[in-house]
Amino acid sequence: MIIIGIVAFVLFFYHSFSTSLEQEKKAQSKNFIESALGIIQHFHQLELSEKLTTAEAQQLAMHTLESATYGDDGYFWINDSNGKILIQPYMPNLVGLNMTNWADSTGKYIFQEFDREARKGGGWVSYTWPKLNTSEEFPKISYVAHYPAWDWLIGTGLYLDDMKSDIFWAVLSTSGVLLLGFLIFIFTIIVIINYFVHQLSELSIRDSLTNLYTKRFLKEISPALLNHNKLTDHHLTAIFIDLDHFKSINDLHGHDNGDKVLKKVAKIMRENAKQRHYCMRYGGEEFVLIGFFENEMSAVDMAETIRHQVSEVCFINDNNEFSVTLSAGVALHNNLIDDSFANTVKRADMKLYEAKTAGRNRVVV
């Protein structure tokens, strides 16, 4: 969809921008002619004020316009009403020749076209004309105007192939910049979307209070854990943890303090967890630690360390100190009796229940 959008954008931009540039170049040529008429009028005024003779005024006007080239090959030419070429800067050998009966390579009588359009108030004429230093004729358009006082035809033109080439490279460079900006915009959007998708994914698998993984993450990670379990001599283990009498903590000390307890327990779990261990808030005051352990005793040691550190923490509520304890159940994944890792977690939960019934604040395996 992005590629289709880019192609459609480039085609639309090329068409609209090239049309706009073509109109601008034509308008520019017309403005040049208006400026040339202003120059001629200036010298004509000097003639009328008798500061210059007619011949002197015309000679100075022709000299000024003959030297007034622009762009790569832009120039002005002047014909008199009889078809005589008065100035032709790039082909001075044509000056003085009569072009009344000249026809271009298509058979069009150029001067007659110039004369007709100019006397109508100015206009465009299409024809073919040689380029500088070549005898080959190329399609060209010229805007011509008439200066009645001296009966002159003044014109300036554009070679169509040069104009199209200029427009092509102008459009190409401009569209290239816009396309680059568009690609940067698309890339930025993709990065932003990817970031927010990642954030949403994190929100869906991270508990907002403790920043531990959620029960949903356990379902996502289980297949990978089982595959890795086949490749290692360590044992995939589930440690199910539940805080003892947590409801009474909320009732006696308030839910804010209850949240502090949950955060602290989560912090202790993360600090003791090693590489490839995953700490999760299973729900409410229940936690699960999943990981690979060398043997059953190393998993029990982990659970006992967490249990002991939690029991050592002193919480304060309105100058009243309180502490919490936890119970834990440990189960190692067994391919013979566990058809899924969910069964391993269930067995760890059953061991947790045994710890609860045995008096709490202990680990059962």
Side-chain angles (χ1 to χ4, degrees):
M1 289 298 292
I2 291 175
I3 292 174
I4 292 173
I6 290 174
V7 171
F9 165 77
V10 170
L11 291 176
F12 173 77
F13 176 78
Y14 181 84
H15 173 73
S16 59
F17 192 49
S18 61
T19 301
S20 175
L21 283 179
E22 183 176 343
Q23 295 299 323
E24 183 181 342
K25 280 185 171 292
K26 287 183 176 180
Q28 190 179 53
S29 295
K30 185 176 179 181
N31 290 334
F32 285 149
I33 289 299
E34 291 176 353
S35 298
L37 290 173
I39 292 172
I40 294 172
Q41 187 178 24
H42 167 72
F43 288 105
H44 182 222
Q45 290 295 327
L46 293 178
E47 175 198 354
L48 295 177
S49 63
E50 298 183 352
K51 293 181 180 179
L52 295 174
T53 64
T54 300
E56 290 173 336
Q58 291 181 346
Q59 189 64 35
L60 287 172
M62 287 188 291
H63 177 74
T64 301
L65 292 179
E66 189 175 25
S67 59
T69 57
Y70 59 91
D72 293 332
D73 56 1
Y75 62 90
F76 297 101
W77 50 261
I78 299 176
N79 289 0
D80 65 16
S81 59
N82 297 317
K84 180 181 176 182
I85 299 176
L86 300 180
I87 65 167
Q88 172 50 264
Y90 286 0
M91 297 181 181
N93 57 304
L94 299 181
V95 174
L97 297 179
N98 190 300
M99 61 180 301
T100 303
N101 297 318
W102 280 15
D104 65 6
S105 59
T106 66
K108 180 180 292 186
Y109 289 94
I110 304 173
F111 175 76
Q112 295 176 21
E113 294 286 334
F114 288 161
D115 189 66
R116 181 170 55 252
E117 289 297 325
R119 294 183 187 279
K120 287 193 303 185
W124 291 94
V125 175
S126 300
Y127 59 105
T128 60
W129 190 262
K131 287 187 178 181
L132 182 64
N133 298 324
T134 178
S135 59
E136 183 182 358
E137 293 187 3
F138 294 86
K140 187 176 185 179
I141 56 173
S142 286
Y143 187 83
V144 292
H146 181 231
Y147 191 71
W150 289 347
D151 208 12
W152 279 1
L153 305 182
I154 304 97
T156 187
L158 297 166
Y159 286 102
L160 295 182
D161 59 337
D162 290 343
M163 181 175 68
K164 290 179 179 178
S165 177
D166 291 343
I167 290 173
F168 173 79
W169 288 111
V171 171
L172 185 65
S173 60
T174 305
S175 60
V177 172
L178 292 176
L179 184 59
L180 177 62
F182 181 73
L183 291 175
I184 292 174
F185 171 75
I186 293 296
F187 176 76
T188 303
I189 291 297
I190 292 174
V191 170
I192 292 174
I193 291 174
N194 184 66
Y195 170 78
F196 281 109
V197 167
H198 177 73
Q199 291 297 104
L200 289 173
S201 176
E202 281 291 301
L203 288 174
S204 67
I205 62 174
R206 290 278 187 181
D207 175 59
S208 59
L209 178 65
T210 62
N211 201 36
L212 298 184
Y213 289 113
T214 61
K215 185 177 180 179
R216 175 181 175 178
F217 177 75
L218 177 59
K219 294 180 181 179
E220 294 182 3
I221 199 68
S222 292
L225 293 173
L226 291 174
N227 287 333
H228 184 73
N229 189 53
K230 300 174 183 177
L231 305 175
T232 179
D233 55 356
H234 282 54
H235 302 278
L236 178 58
T237 305
I239 302 175
F240 212 118
I241 296 171
D242 184 81
L243 297 180
D244 299 328
H245 304 295
F246 186 72
K247 184 178 182 302
S248 64
I249 293 175
N250 280 331
D251 293 340
L252 293 174
H253 303 287
H255 288 278
D256 288 344
N257 284 298
D259 289 346
K260 291 179 181 178
V261 171
L262 295 175
K263 289 180 181 180
K264 186 62 178 180
V265 173
K267 184 173 183 292
I268 291 173
M269 289 181 66
R270 284 196 302 270
E271 289 174 347
N272 286 279
K274 295 180 174 57
Q275 189 175 12
R276 298 195 64 79
H277 286 177
Y278 301 94
C279 299
M280 305 166 198
R281 185 183 178 190
Y282 202 73
E285 69 274 19
E286 295 178 328
F287 299 87
V288 173
L289 189 149
I290 305 296
F292 292 90
F293 292 87
E294 186 176 353
N295 50 48
E296 187 177 82
M297 285 309 300
S298 62
V300 172
D301 288 343
M302 169 71 76
E304 283 289 358
T305 299
I306 294 173
R307 184 195 65 80
H308 176 73
Q309 290 183 10
V310 169
S311 66
E312 291 291 311
V313 177
C314 181
F315 299 93
I316 301 176
N317 176 34
D318 294 335
N319 297 322
N320 294 319
E321 296 182 356
F322 69 95
S323 59
V324 296
T325 61
L326 60 79
S327 302
V330 179
L332 275 64
H333 181 74
N334 188 325
N335 291 325
L336 298 177
I337 62 176
D338 296 324
D339 56 356
S340 68
F341 187 63
N343 284 342
T344 306
V345 176
K346 287 180 180 178
R347 289 197 298 108
D349 190 20
M350 293 173 60
K351 294 298 181 180
L352 169 63
Y353 179 75
E354 292 180 20
K356 292 282 189 181
T357 57
R360 294 183 173 82
N361 194 23
R362 66 192 64 210
V363 176
V364 174
V365 62

